[in-house]
Amino acid sequence: MTQDIVILAAGKGSRMKSAFSKVLHKVGGIAMVRRVLTTASTLENANLHLVVGHQGEQVEANCQDFSANIVWQNDPQGTGDALRRVAPFLQADGATLTLYGDVPLIRASTLQKMTALSNSNTLVLLTISLDNPTGYGRIVRDEQGKVTAIVEQKDASASELAIKEVNTGILLAPNAHLQAWLAALKNNNAQGEYYLTDVIAMAARDGVDIVTVNPENEAEVAGVNDRVQLAALERELQNQQAIRLMQNGATLLDPSRIDVRGELVTGNDVIIDVNCVFEGKVTLGAGVEIGPNCHLKNCTVGDNTIIKSNTLIEDSQVGESCDIGPFARLRPGTQLANKAKIGNFVETKKAIIGEGSKVNHLSYIGDTEMGANVNVGAGTITCNYDGVNKHKTQVADNVFIGSNSSLVAPVQIEEGATIAAGSTITKQVGEKQLAFARARQTNKDNWPRPTKK
């Protein structure tokens, strides 16, 4: 059966006190509405409809890669009103699944359980039992246990308020019936809104089977109305991801102090120390060790590499058995071959570092192609920028560069060459040549030191 999936994202979210649409606030580094769209996209035969209103242009721009049908709800009058705006786009022989842009942790497995029960005469409702159901619509059942209605908190009687089973708002309804139910909705309630939940009573009246499915946990159906709830879901997601990483063979020295803001893939026997942040897509090979306070973004790290504390790696590729840090920064475009070493307070950018090469301390290597077994002394920099354009430095295999050297690009250092410490290199150095490029030392006797005025 074709699935129309409607994601409601038109609310103002005034309690967020933000210049941005509520559904664009991030959980795990990804906008809430994008998380919902990603999960919905995993369902077969899915037609996505995104209902926007307040700051809808922001939401549409951030979600355009999903190719969802954008439906505007400029004057929101409830969830039923939102579905009525989508009604002209629904497939006649399909079913409609309603989701929420501020309920980001809903799982594909739960939605698949719902769709498995769907047919032309069945409405599937996602419910959960809560110890404290305050604020939720209550699930009303008859003597046989069949669902007959959903009553909102403000409209519930004392006996109905005592019901623990509540509505999550997520339901899957057959379109052949849904169209008529939406047209029949009334707003004669405490809020003066059109409630989508009113279709439950209509379904019971029309003899449509109403079946319920439960989520795996409460967090899966928790919504976000303010930043406190946003922070709670962030911690829940991070806990879920920490558990997954450990189940996949990674050791987290403190599972409560790791942040995965994207996707982290780990091989066996990875060790991650405290306060590490992973953004975008990060892949760690087997046996990788990461020290405390590291930040990795959109990078791959080969097997058995050690990344020491306070290291930043972004948009880079790191080979096997490398040694990086502490306090190193690999900027976008860095590629380290196997067994390369980047030491403390070294920065690289668009740098290809060959196998076994070492940049040990206090250096900047940018726009550089470096061969194998190169040794770069402390304080060396590649002068790659002339104020207008960037230029490349090329260093061949087995080059030794003395401390405090400046390589003024464009320049080429050929195989086996040696650069004397303190040199400023402005032209090519040939194979196995020794290059001195510094002024001759002059000593003056009886030099009067400056005195403080």
Side-chain angles (χ1 to χ4, degrees), residues 62-201:
N62 276 272
C63 300
Q64 58 185 352
D65 53 312
F66 286 95
S67 300
N69 173 38
I70 304 298
V71 179
W72 281 84
Q73 188 188 20
N74 288 315
D75 182 23
Q77 300 178 57
T79 53
D81 172 58
L83 265 291
R84 292 211 290 194
R85 312 234 185 165
V86 183
F89 305 101
L90 302 180
Q91 304 296 313
D93 59 348
T96 295
L97 174 64
T98 302
L99 302 175
Y100 299 84
D102 61 352
V103 182
L105 302 189
I106 186 68
R107 296 183 180 182
S109 57
T110 298
L111 301 183
Q112 289 162 359
K113 286 193 292 185
M114 295 180 69
T115 59
L117 298 173
S118 177
N119 61 55
S120 60
N121 200 53
T122 298
L123 186 149
V124 186
L125 191 61
L126 190 65
T127 70
I128 189 170
S129 293
L130 300 176
D131 292 335
N132 179 11
T134 302
Y136 288 88
R138 307 306 202 273
I139 303 297
V140 180
R141 296 179 181 266
D142 62 17
E143 294 80 1
Q144 289 75 41
K146 293 183 178 180
V147 176
T148 59
I150 297 175
V151 179
E152 296 298 328
Q153 168 94 17
K154 293 183 179 181
D155 302 310
S157 66
S159 61
E160 289 167 340
L161 289 173
I163 297 171
K164 300 293 186 181
E165 185 183 14
V166 301
N167 173 42
T168 67
I170 296 174
L171 60 85
L172 177 59
N175 290 343
H177 293 284
L178 182 62
Q179 295 281 14
W181 296 337
L182 292 174
L185 289 177
K186 306 294 184 184
N187 65 345
N188 52 349
N189 52 61
Q191 293 289 87
E193 295 185 345
Y194 297 93
Y195 293 151
L196 180 60
T197 49
D198 288 348
V199 306
I200 304 303

Side-chain angles (χ1 to χ4, degrees), residues 23-309:
V23 298
L24 294 181
H25 285 264
K26 295 179 180 180
V27 173
I30 299 172
M32 291 190 288
V33 68
R34 289 187 61 86
R35 283 194 172 276
V36 179
L37 284 163
T38 298
T39 301
S41 298
T42 65
L43 300 181
E44 294 183 359
N45 303 316
N47 297 319
L48 301 178
H49 307 275
L50 182 61
V51 181
V52 301
H54 178 69
Q55 296 172 324
E57 294 85 358
Q58 289 182 6
V59 179
E60 182 178 5
N62 276 272
C63 300
Q64 58 185 352
D65 53 312
F66 286 95
S67 300
N69 173 38
I70 304 298
V71 179
W72 281 84
Q73 188 188 20
N74 288 315
D75 182 23
Q77 300 178 57
T79 53
D81 172 58
L83 265 291
R84 292 211 290 194
R85 312 234 185 165
V86 183
F89 305 101
L90 302 180
Q91 304 296 313
D93 59 348
T96 295
L97 174 64
T98 302
L99 302 175
Y100 299 84
D102 61 352
V103 182
L105 302 189
I106 186 68
R107 296 183 180 182
S109 57
T110 298
L111 301 183
Q112 289 162 359
K113 286 193 292 185
M114 295 180 69
T115 59
L117 298 173
S118 177
N119 61 55
S120 60
N121 200 53
T122 298
L123 186 149
V124 186
L125 191 61
L126 190 65
T127 70
I128 189 170
S129 293
L130 300 176
D131 292 335
N132 179 11
T134 302
Y136 288 88
R138 307 306 202 273
I139 303 297
V140 180
R141 296 179 181 266
D142 62 17
E143 294 80 1
Q144 289 75 41
K146 293 183 178 180
V147 176
T148 59
I150 297 175
V151 179
E152 296 298 328
Q153 168 94 17
K154 293 183 179 181
D155 302 310
S157 66
S159 61
E160 289 167 340
L161 289 173
I163 297 171
K164 300 293 186 181
E165 185 183 14
V166 301
N167 173 42
T168 67
I170 296 174
L171 60 85
L172 177 59
N175 290 343
H177 293 284
L178 182 62
Q179 295 281 14
W181 296 337
L182 292 174
L185 289 177
K186 306 294 184 184
N187 65 345
N188 52 349
N189 52 61
Q191 293 289 87
E193 295 185 345
Y194 297 93
Y195 293 151
L196 180 60
T197 49
D198 288 348
V199 306
I200 304 303
M202 297 179 190
R205 177 201 65 197
D206 294 346
V208 173
D209 294 330
I210 302 173
V211 298
T212 58
V213 170
N214 303 126
E216 295 184 29
N217 57 52
E218 184 179 343
E220 190 178 348
V221 293
V224 171
N225 292 307
D226 56 34
R227 294 179 190 263
V228 175
Q229 293 174 334
L230 183 70
L233 282 193
E234 178 72 33
R235 284 301 95 209
E236 171 63 26
L237 176 64
Q238 295 304 334
N239 181 61
Q240 292 177 11
Q241 295 187 123
I243 291 171
R244 176 184 59 81
L245 290 168
M246 291 185 289
Q247 289 173 338
N248 289 340
T251 294
L252 308 182
L253 297 190
D254 185 345
S256 67
R257 288 192 283 170
I258 180 174
D259 281 275
V260 180
R261 302 169 187 169
E263 180 182 359
L264 174 59
V265 179
T266 57
N268 292 337
D269 299 313
V270 167
I271 299 175
I272 301 174
D273 211 327
V274 300
N275 300 330
C276 290
V277 177
F278 301 90
E279 290 190 72
K281 175 69 179 289
V282 177
T283 301
L284 306 179
V288 169
E289 296 183 21
I290 301 181
N293 309 313
C294 291
H295 185 176
L296 278 65
K297 181 177 181 180
N298 295 322
C299 60
T300 60
V301 180
D303 295 350
N304 301 311
T305 284
I306 296 175
I307 301 173
K308 297 172 183 174
S309 62

Side-chain angles (χ1 to χ4, degrees), residues 316-363:
S316 298
Q317 298 178 14
V318 178
E320 298 179 4
S321 301
C322 293
D323 189 329
I324 305 172
F327 294 97
R329 183 184 183 192
L330 275 56
R331 291 171 57 194
T334 296
Q335 298 177 41
L336 303 188
N338 297 343
K339 300 180 180 179
K341 179 173 172 51
I342 302 294
N344 51 285
F345 301 104
V346 171
E347 178 181 342
T348 64
K349 190 270 296 180
K350 287 187 180 179
I352 299 173
I353 309 294
E355 183 169 353
S357 290
K358 300 177 181 180
V359 188
N360 279 316
H361 349 263
L362 302 160
S363 295

Side-chain angles (χ1 to χ4, degrees), residues 11-28:
K12 185 175 182 179
S14 56
R15 279 184 278 174
M16 296 295 289
K17 293 181 170 56
S18 174
F20 304 101
S21 170
K22 175 174 71 171
V23 298
L24 294 181
H25 285 264
K26 295 179 180 180
V27 173

